[in-house]
């Protein structure tokens, strides 16, 4: 009698998932995801082998509820490594449940060959220790395996590039496995039911929609001066012309307020049309600006259906489009359910996401995080505000993006008004990816675009400082009734706000405020500016890159040159003033602690010192000249040596250690926690979140809580300041979260309507 082996238990129709059917389906899907890559045969083999251990008798007993604590993945990984000599497939198969592990030869042999039976690293039992037996059963089941003729990994030279290749294969396997398993458990009477695919990118129709939006909302609007309108027109034409190029790495350097957001989209659509690209991915650095951009994209493509533009970030789904969930967290809105499904693997024509989401995924080892990576192939990837890429991650990041472009025919665009001179790092990038980093500029001869002067910066004299009372007096003056003042530290904002207490139209922005609160303040500020009413906004750097504000006067504390230029981009943005907008750069009082303590980090301090050294050398700095920024970045990189900054990450890459790389490649430090706060305008939602946190949180709760949360540094150990003020949210499965907390503050003593979160004095060092 024929023995039938199964991959998964019964679905709702009482049907078990046959193992041979599952392996064939995953193999075919993985091969299709690999498309024209040179390693698609390895993807196919990985699909056939990934659950080979399920042919073991112990695993079949597990499906009957008779066994537990089994490893069913190492059998296939072992066969892939020793029989078919494909290191990449072995790593992907081993990792499809436990994540990618270390890839060096010693680690692979130790884990997959030597110690599995007697000393399993996870203290599991193999579903069958006789790998030849399970392979024979697969053969009897009609599965046919082939030796890949051109294996992906023959050496680990250019390690970042090779490890990205492994993650790409891993992504193909993981997504195929998830999708086929999901289809089994979502089956209908007719059998397996695959989810509906996302919409396709119709570049012709999308380009027409963008052109219509420009005609109706931008070109016919007399909001800008003729000179600014001319710059925007030139940028549009340059982006259109450059789009005919073959896939590669590009830079787009254009002044703040010149229409980069829409010009980038024009380039992407035309470039995708010319090169048959499958999707466009817009990557922004800050959640504070992502909604602004997403709103524009949704407006342009409003007739294309709800998932033509997919937002994948922690705030996606908030506001009017927020889904409703029942007490068990079931998503009732089919549109929202589809959005969340598409977010798992980015199966959408246009994706809007964050640096954290995209870049950390490219250096991750986790199945769920890497799952979407294969959909980066053949895409146009737009990085807005590229200067925000941290120096300590620059070299491996540029290497991965360069290889993505060269090997997988994706185009990468770095757009900003203050373009970093990353090409200086080319020799370091080539150590990790042979293609290096030499981008093509989309706007050739872009210096002439920067000759349109909208602001007149005023620089402090050497040694000149201004104290808070005198600065406040300047900001109170009648001529400064609409003014933005950007400072480097939250305590500086607080000191200035105290001096300005009682002044008309006073507003404040900092990351002490929850997202919903900051969004509300920005809306109020825009209304004040539009009506011409008094508006004095005191802000930290969170107001700079990408925030669409237009003040006639901007004060900026001395800082990195790119930060000063970004603040200046909020001044006379539309060029409508009869004279230049006024940008005054000032040096806050140094005090007894020294200049280093005027800045949030050592890197920020070093960049400021480079700015001061250039200012001392030249007397004034032209923040509208790209050559000034090239000189600034050259000097900064000479001092900071980005390639040598992150030794832990460098050592992990050298060791080919996927888990350690994921640990050390972080755009945001992971020692922060999220605190849900009682903002006055959303007290009812705060109460609902607080109540649910007592009984168990889920993904929907976290999505909603993002809007009312503030990040603070995690206290050490059982720090006394916890004192009942911060209550950990509970998980449904039991236990407390170490990331999400409720501020127990129903009397609202610690959340101010202007300043945001104001912890007791003993806890102030916790503010992130």
């Amino acid at each position: 009698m024929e023995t039938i082996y199964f991959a998964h238990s019964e679905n709702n129709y009482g049907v078990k998932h046959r193992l041979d059917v599952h392996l064939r389906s995953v193999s075919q899907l993985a091969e299709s995801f690999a498309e024209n890559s040179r390693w698609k045969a390895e993807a196919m083999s990985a699909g056939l082998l990934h659950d080979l251990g399920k042919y073991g008798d112990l695993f079949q007993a597990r499906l009957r509820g008779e066994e537990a604590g089994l490893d069913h993945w190492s059998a296939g990984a072992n066969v892939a490594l020793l029989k078919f000599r494909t290191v990449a497939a072995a790593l992907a198969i081993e990792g499809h449940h436990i994540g990618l592990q270390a890839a060096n030869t010693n680690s692979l042999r130790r884990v997959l060959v030597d110690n599995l039976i007697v000393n399993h690293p996870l203290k599991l039992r193999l579903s069958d220790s006789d790998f030849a037996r399970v392979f024979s059963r697969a053969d009897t089941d009609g599965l046919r395996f082939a030796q890949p003729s051109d294996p992906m990994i023959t050496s680990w030279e250019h390690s970042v590039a090779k490890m990205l290749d492994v993650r790409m294969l891993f992504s193909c396997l993981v997504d195929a496995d998830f999708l086929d398993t999901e289809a089994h458990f979502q089956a209908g009477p007719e059998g397996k039911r695959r989810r509906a695919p996302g919409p396709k990118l119709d570049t012709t129709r999308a380009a027409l929609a963008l052109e219509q939006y420009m005609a109706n909302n931008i070109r016919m609007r007399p909001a800008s001066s003729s000179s600014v309108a001319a710059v925007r027109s030139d940028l549009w034409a340059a982006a259109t012309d450059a789009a005919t190029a073959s896939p590669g790495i590009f830079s787009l350097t254009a002044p703040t307020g010149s229409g980069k957001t829409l010009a980038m989209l024009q380039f992407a659509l035309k470039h995708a049309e010319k090169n048959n690209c499958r999707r466009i991915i817009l990557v922004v650095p800050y959640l504070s600006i992502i909604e602004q951009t997403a709103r524009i994209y949704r407006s342009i493509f409003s007739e294309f259906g709800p998932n033509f533009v997919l937002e994948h970030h922690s705030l996606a789904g908030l506001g009017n489009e927020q889904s409703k969930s029942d007490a068990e967290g079931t998503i009732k809105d089919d549109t929202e359910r589809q959005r969340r499904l598409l977010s798992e693997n980015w199966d959408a024509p246009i994706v809007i996401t964050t640096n954290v989401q995209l870049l950390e995924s490219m250096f991750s080892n986790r199945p769920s995080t890497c799952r979407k990576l294969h959909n980066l192939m053949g895409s146009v990837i737009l990085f807005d505000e590229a200067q925000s890429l941290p120096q300590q991650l620059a070299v491996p990041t540029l290497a991965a993006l360069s290889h993505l472009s060269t090997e997988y025919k994706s185009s990468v665009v770095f757009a900003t008004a203050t373009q970093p001179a990353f090409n200086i790092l080319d020799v370091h990038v080539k150590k990790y990816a042979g293609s290096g980093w030499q981008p093509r500029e989309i706007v050739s001869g872009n210096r002439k675009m920067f000759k349109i002067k909208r602001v007149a910066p005023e620089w402090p004299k050497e040694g000149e400082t201004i104290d808070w009372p005198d600065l406040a007096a300047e900001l109170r003056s009648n001529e400064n009734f609409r003014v933005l003042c950007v400072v480097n530290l939250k305590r500086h904002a607080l000191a200035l706000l105290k001096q300005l207490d009682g002044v008309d139209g006073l507003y404040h922005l900092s990351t002490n405020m929850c997202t919903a609160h900051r969004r509300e303040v920005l809306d109020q500020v825009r209304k004040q500016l539009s009506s011409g009413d008094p508006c004095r906004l005191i802000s930290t750097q969170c107001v700079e890159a990408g925030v669409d504000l237009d003040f006639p006067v901007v004060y900026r504390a001395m800082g990195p040159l790119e930060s000063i230029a970004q603040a200046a981009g909020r001044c006379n943005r539309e060029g409508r003033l009869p004279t230049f907008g006024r940008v005054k750069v000032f040096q806050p009082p140094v005090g007894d602690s020294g200049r280093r303590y005027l800045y949030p980090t050592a890197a920020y301090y070093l960049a400021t010192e480079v700015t001061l050294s250039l200012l001392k050398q030249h007397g004034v700095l032209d923040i509208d000249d790209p050559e000034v920024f090239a000189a600034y970045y050259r000097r900064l990189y000479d001092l900071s040596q980005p390639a040598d900054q992150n030794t832990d990450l460098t050592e992990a890459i050298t060791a080919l250690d996927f888990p350690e790389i994921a640990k050390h490649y972080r755009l945001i430090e992971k020692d922060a926690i999220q605190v849900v706060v009682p903002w006055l305008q959303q007290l009812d939602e705060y109460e609902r979140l607080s109540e649910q946190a007592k009984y168990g949180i889920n993904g929907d709760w976290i999505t909603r809580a993002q809007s009312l949360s503030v990040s603070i540094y995690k206290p050490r150990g059982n720090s006394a300041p916890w004192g009942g003020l911060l209550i950990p949210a509970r998980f449904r499965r039991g236990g407390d979260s170490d990331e999400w907390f409720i501020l127990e503050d129903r009397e609202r003593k610690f959340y101010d309507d202007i300043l945001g979160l104001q912890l007791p004095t003993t806890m102030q060092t916790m503010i992130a």
Side-chain angles (χ1 to χ4, degrees):
M1 183 176 176
E2 179 188 8
T3 301
I4 299 177
Y5 297 92
F6 297 100
H8 301 107
S9 56
E10 295 92 344
N11 57 27
N12 290 336
Y13 288 84
V15 177
K16 289 184 178 180
H17 199 183
R18 285 186 58 131
L19 181 53
D20 61 330
V21 172
H22 176 58
L23 295 179
R24 285 194 185 92
S25 297
V26 172
S27 176
Q28 291 164 4
L29 275 174
E31 182 185 23
S32 71
F33 293 154
E35 292 188 312
N36 297 320
S37 70
R38 59 183 176 81
W39 44 261
K40 70 176 183 178
E42 282 178 280
M44 180 179 67
S45 295
L48 284 175
L49 290 168
H50 80 286
D51 277 353
L52 188 66
K54 291 185 176 182
Y55 278 106
D57 294 335
L58 288 177
F59 184 84
Q60 297 302 308
R62 176 181 175 271
L63 290 180
R64 298 190 297 269
E66 300 167 1
E67 284 288 351
L70 301 178
D71 167 353
H72 70 265
W73 49 86
S74 290
N78 182 280
V79 170
L81 181 66
L82 299 185
K83 185 177 180 63
F84 295 111
R85 306 296 179 185
T86 163
V87 174
L91 286 164
I93 294 166
E94 179 195 24
H96 81 277
H97 276 279
I98 63 173
L100 291 169
Q101 301 302 303
N104 63 74
T105 302
N106 290 337
S107 296
L108 282 170
R109 288 202 64 86
R110 184 171 62 252
V111 174
L112 295 180
V113 180
D114 298 336
N115 293 339
L116 282 175
I117 298 175
V118 297
N119 187 27
H120 195 287
L122 299 179
K123 309 302 180 187
L124 301 174
R125 290 179 297 154
L126 295 174
S127 56
D128 194 321
S129 59
D130 188 339
F131 298 154
R133 178 165 54 216
V134 294
F135 186 76
S136 175
R137 288 176 177 177
D139 184 70
T140 301
D141 242 355
L143 300 179
R144 295 294 176 259
F145 303 87
Q147 177 84 40
S149 59
D150 183 21
M152 174 193 292
I153 304 297
T154 55
S155 79
W156 288 100
E157 185 183 10
H158 302 137
S159 52
V160 168
K162 294 294 178 62
M163 295 179 87
L164 179 63
D165 288 336
V166 171
R167 290 188 187 91
M168 283 293 189
L169 190 153
F170 182 53
S171 170
C172 293
L173 173 63
V174 168
D175 195 26
D177 188 25
F178 272 118
L179 289 173
D180 192 64
T181 303
E182 175 187 277
H184 166 69
F185 285 107
Q186 297 295 327
E190 73 286 355
K192 283 199 299 189
R193 180 184 293 163
R194 297 202 183 281
R195 66 167 67 172
K200 301 302 180 185
L201 178 60
D202 184 341
T203 53
T204 302
R205 184 172 166 232
L208 287 173
L210 175 58
E211 185 61 37
Q212 190 67 41
Y213 179 86
M214 293 294 295
N216 294 342
N217 298 277
I218 305 297
R219 298 190 183 117
M220 299 300 293
R221 188 179 65 190
S224 306
S225 68
S226 58
S227 58
V228 170
V231 167
R232 291 175 178 171
S233 178
D234 289 346
L235 177 57
W236 185 267
T240 304
D241 291 342
T244 60
S246 58
I249 303 168
F250 299 87
S251 57
L252 194 164
T253 310
T256 300
S258 60
K260 287 192 299 295
T261 298
L262 295 177
M264 274 196 300
L265 181 56
Q266 168 74 350
F267 171 86
L269 288 171
K270 294 296 184 181
H271 190 68
E273 185 174 35
K274 172 70 165 52
N275 295 289
N276 298 313
C277 299
R278 299 183 304 169
R279 61 182 45 81
I280 294 167
I281 301 170
L282 175 66
V283 190
V284 298
Y286 310 117
L287 286 170
S288 58
I289 64 174
I290 200 167
E291 176 57 26
Q292 172 182 296
T293 305
R295 191 184 306 120
I296 294 171
Y297 274 49
R298 287 195 301 266
S299 177
I300 295 168
F301 303 113
S302 59
E303 303 299 321
F304 285 61
N307 288 310
F308 189 81
V309 176
L310 174 69
E311 296 176 58
H312 188 202
H313 51 86
S314 59
L315 300 183
L318 295 175
N320 294 332
E321 299 177 40
Q322 180 177 321
S323 64
K324 305 299 181 184
S325 302
D326 62 18
E328 293 301 315
T330 302
I331 303 170
K332 294 180 176 179
D333 187 324
D334 288 340
T335 299
E336 174 63 9
R337 175 179 173 79
Q338 179 71 356
R339 184 194 71 78
R340 294 196 181 191
L341 289 173
L342 296 177
S343 294
E344 293 173 351
N345 61 358
W346 285 6
D347 185 13
I350 297 179
V351 179
I352 301 177
T353 190
T354 60
N355 285 4
V356 171
Q357 183 61 245
L358 177 77
L359 295 178
E360 289 192 2
S361 294
M362 292 181 69
F363 288 85
S364 177
N365 73 318
R366 295 170 48 211
S368 59
T369 308
C370 291
R371 178 180 176 182
K372 56 184 171 285
L373 291 181
H374 70 87
N375 275 327
L376 299 181
M377 298 182 193
S379 297
V380 186
I381 306 171
L382 310 171
F383 285 87
D384 199 8
E385 306 297 351
Q387 79 284 349
S388 63
L389 178 63
Q391 283 186 45
Q392 73 272 16
L393 300 178
V395 170
T397 302
L398 299 177
L401 292 172
S402 175
H403 187 65
L404 177 66
S405 175
T406 304
E407 183 71 16
Y408 299 106
K409 302 300 183 279
S410 295
S411 286
V412 176
V413 180
F414 272 22
T416 177
T418 56
Q419 192 71 240
F422 285 140
N423 58 304
I424 295 172
L425 303 176
D426 178 64
V427 64
H428 300 290
V429 173
K430 283 182 176 176
K431 294 178 182 177
Y432 291 131
S435 45
W437 189 263
Q438 290 293 339
R440 290 173 272 175
E441 176 57 51
I442 287 176
V443 188
S444 59
N446 55 29
R447 287 189 69 176
K448 66 181 182 181
M449 297 186 67
F450 286 86
K451 290 182 180 179
I452 303 298
K453 301 295 183 182
R454 289 172 290 181
V455 300
E458 303 170 14
W459 298 93
K461 297 177 182 178
E462 186 177 356
E464 179 185 14
T465 64
I466 185 170
D467 60 22
W468 302 121
D470 289 342
L471 179 59
E474 288 193 27
L475 299 179
R476 282 178 180 270
S477 69
N478 289 334
E479 68 175 16
N480 289 332
F481 70 96
R482 285 183 293 143
V483 58
L484 165 65
C485 182
V486 182
V487 294
N488 293 318
L489 297 171
K490 295 172 185 176
R491 68 172 184 268
H492 290 172
L494 180 59
L496 194 51
L497 285 165
K498 288 181 177 178
Q499 294 293 329
L500 289 167
D501 186 37
V503 73
D504 288 343
L506 183 62
Y507 298 93
H508 165 248
L509 278 177
S510 80
T511 53
N512 276 13
M513 302 155 66
C514 65
T515 303
H517 191 174
R518 293 203 305 268
R519 187 184 298 144
E520 173 66 20
V521 169
L522 282 171
D523 287 344
Q524 291 178 12
V525 166
R526 290 188 181 104
K527 289 177 182 177
Q528 294 290 105
L529 292 174
S530 177
S531 64
D533 292 329
C535 180
R536 295 172 174 90
L537 174 60
I538 311 302
S539 177
T540 58
Q541 307 96 291
C542 68
V543 78
E544 289 178 341
V547 178
D548 189 6
L549 295 174
D550 191 356
F551 281 88
V553 180
V554 170
Y555 279 60
R556 188 23 166 123
M558 180 60 71
L561 189 61
E562 71 272 20
S563 297
I564 293 170
Q566 291 291 341
R570 311 313 122 195
C571 183
N572 196 23
R573 189 176 180 86
E574 301 294 340
R576 290 175 293 188
L577 296 177
T579 58
F580 294 133
R582 183 185 175 210
V583 175
K584 179 170 182 176
V585 183
F586 65 92
Q587 185 66 274
V590 176
D592 296 332
S593 299
R595 199 157 64 201
R596 161 66 183 88
Y597 296 95
L598 297 177
Y599 310 107
T601 65
Y604 198 97
Y605 167 66
L606 179 60
T608 304
E609 289 295 292
V610 170
T611 304
L612 287 166
S613 70
L614 288 172
L615 186 60
K616 182 177 181 180
Q617 178 181 345
H618 298 288
V620 296
L621 296 174
D622 185 355
I623 59 174
D624 292 321
D625 187 349
E627 290 302 318
V628 170
F629 278 94
Y632 162 77
Y633 280 115
R634 281 194 295 269
R635 186 172 297 186
L636 178 60
Y637 296 161
D638 283 346
L639 292 172
S640 63
Q641 294 294 309
D644 300 329
Q645 285 190 23
N646 195 331
T647 55
D648 289 336
L649 179 59
T650 300
E651 290 173 1
I653 292 172
T654 302
L656 307 175
D657 193 327
F658 284 93
E660 283 298 301
I661 290 170
K663 176 182 176 182
H664 295 296
Y665 187 97
R666 295 295 187 187
L667 277 85
I668 298 175
E669 293 298 324
K670 297 302 181 182
D671 60 351
I673 61 175
Q674 306 301 316
V675 177
V676 179
V677 297
W679 180 43
L680 181 62
Q681 294 194 31
Q682 290 192 15
L683 283 180
D684 289 345
E685 177 69 349
Y686 164 79
E687 292 291 349
R688 287 190 291 268
L689 290 167
S690 299
E691 190 65 21
Q692 186 177 342
K694 296 176 183 177
Y695 303 103
I697 64 174
N698 59 7
D700 178 68
W701 184 94
I702 291 173
T703 299
R704 290 161 49 210
Q706 290 278 359
S707 187
L708 283 178
S709 67
V710 175
S711 292
I712 68 173
Y713 289 119
K714 185 181 295 185
R716 297 177 181 176
N718 297 317
S719 178
W722 285 99
L725 191 58
L726 302 180
I727 309 300
R730 293 192 59 79
F731 292 119
R732 290 186 175 183
R733 63 180 180 269
D736 293 340
S737 171
D738 62 356
E739 181 180 2
W740 285 96
F741 295 80
I742 302 293
L743 180 66
E744 190 64 32
D745 183 27
R746 282 167 173 76
E747 297 181 1
R748 302 188 67 253
K749 294 180 180 178
F750 304 114
Y751 195 84
D752 187 86
D753 291 337
I754 294 178
L755 304 177
L757 183 62
Q758 298 295 297
L759 291 171
T761 304
T762 54
M763 300 178 74
Q764 280 300 315
T765 57
M766 292 168 56
I767 294 288

